[in-house]
Amino acid sequence: MPEPVVDSGLDQAKLALARGQLELAWAKASEAARQLPPDDIEASYLCAVILRLQGNLQEALQRTEHLAQVYPRIGRVHQERGHCLRSLGQRDAAVAAYEQAVACNPLLTTPWQLLAAHYQEHVPDKVIEAQNKCREIELMPMALRAALAAYYDEDFKLAEERVRAFLMTTPDNPAAMRLLGKRGRGPTLRA
């Protein structure tokens, strides 16, 4: 298999992270973060993930809490905050963070799965909803999931590109058409 092409420090950090090379991932991510604006979502989020995986839970939590203030509608920020809180043994706070994550981005399967497990023990009437959400996401075509993920991350230009590409192969998908409709009328959408 050919090596993936990496063109930025963040890409190199993501590749190192995928390979389990946490020290290299941290070096590349932190170097890239120094060259970007301080609140760059991609760099800051990636640094928080790496810090958590390295066991630097307090620093990772501080970063995710700051990101949650700057980007309150980005679900994966709340998901990562939940992971930090869960690792710190703060179960109730982690559940609240996961609930906020799926409220912002209902496509995040990991928080849904963790919520389903929590609900199984503590809130039985919510279990079915969480399990159904997991199944719904798993059945969704990957290209549509990618378009929706960009939309929920507020990268509206990328969301539009992805949904248009998806509609070229599946022109009658109602969810994709709804997403394209949102793109056309959203007052806060940025190009």
Side-chain angles (χ1 to χ4, degrees), residues 86 89-96 99 113-128 130:
R86 184 170 171 252
Q90 298 178 26
R91 184 181 191 148
D92 291 342
V95 167
E99 287 174 336
Q113 292 165 344
L114 294 169
L115 287 169
H118 172 76
Y119 295 156
Q120 186 78 41
E121 292 180 34
H122 303 283
V123 193
D125 54 325
K126 289 188 169 185
V127 173
I128 300 298

Side-chain angles (χ1 to χ4, degrees), residues 42-58:
E42 294 304 322
S44 297
Y45 173 79
L46 186 58
C47 285
V49 169
I50 295 166
L51 284 166
R52 176 180 55 85
L53 294 173
Q54 289 177 323
N56 298 323
L57 299 175
Q58 288 297 336

Side-chain angles (χ1 to χ4, degrees), residues 10 29 31-40 42-44:
L10 286 180
E31 178 184 331
R34 284 191 295 276
Q35 298 172 11
L36 295 166
D39 290 330
D40 180 83
E42 294 304 322
S44 297

Side-chain angles (χ1 to χ4, degrees), residues 132-168:
N132 286 344
K133 264 314 213 186
C134 290
R135 278 191 288 278
E136 179 185 320
I137 296 164
E138 289 168 4
L139 294 173
M140 189 179 293
M142 285 301 293
L144 180 56
R145 283 169 64 181
L148 285 165
Y151 176 79
Y152 289 123
D153 276 352
E154 297 185 346
D155 189 341
F156 301 113
K157 184 176 180 184
L158 180 60
E160 181 176 4
E161 290 170 6
R162 288 177 174 176
V163 76
R164 287 186 183 281
F166 176 73
L167 284 169
M168 295 297 289

